[in-house]
Amino acid sequence: VDIRRCEELAKQGDLESLAEAEALLRAPFLEGIYFSDCAELEMWILSEQEHWRLRAITLLGTLMQALLRQGAYDRALSCAQRLTKIDPLQEKYHRQVMRLYVKIGQRQAALAQYETCRRLLADELGALPSPDTDALYQRIRQAPSVHNLPPSPTPFIGRLGELARLRLMLANPDCRLITIVGAGGLGKTRLALELARQSV
């Protein structure tokens, strides 16, 4: 069953296994199943749903950190966005989404995420964002634009090995020029833009 496979993959702990495990936790446990005539079974389902909700949060957090270490900001952003859906009143997830939008050069989207967070807190709790969230918003709002790279039309997926090698080359002070070659349509320009975006 999916939950058993999810646990096996999570224990492996490598990036691809974590991503596969995360993909198995796309909906609440036994979503849509109700037993109003059996209170014990209903309580068990609710308990398991909460257990797997918390498990999904842990798994997504671990996967997000692994992707951040790889510099895969688009994929990390997808994890952070999903965390805001699972636990929408947890400000730290909104802040992570904001930071990652900045990383991929989408400053306006980062500012819009703050507004989403602010509205949620006001509507659900009658509260204002925390000082940490406000401070991050102000830093992003006041920061000058640091590059003129075009926005990414779609998430950047894969090519982690190539990006890692190119970042090592850029870090070498003796490297004066990097040329990316290959047949047309292989994604050379997108790879170069992603490298530039991650290097800003």
Side-chain angles (χ1 to χ4, degrees), residues 72-130:
Y73 300 125
D74 283 316
R75 290 177 66 192
L77 174 60
S78 179
C79 290
Q81 288 170 325
R82 204 172 152 217
L83 283 165
T84 66
K85 299 292 189 294
I86 295 173
D87 199 352
L89 299 178
Q90 187 64 260
E91 287 184 64
K92 66 181 178 180
Y93 302 139
H94 291 277
R95 289 195 296 269
Q96 189 64 61
V97 169
M98 292 165 69
R99 290 188 197 99
L100 285 164
Y101 270 132
V102 171
K103 283 278 190 188
I104 64 173
Q106 295 189 27
R107 182 170 165 270
Q108 290 305 315
L111 297 175
Q113 186 67 38
Y114 171 84
E115 289 301 324
T116 298
C117 177
R118 187 188 60 75
R119 280 195 310 272
L120 275 168
L121 292 171
D123 292 347
E124 298 294 325
L125 303 176
L128 295 171
S130 70

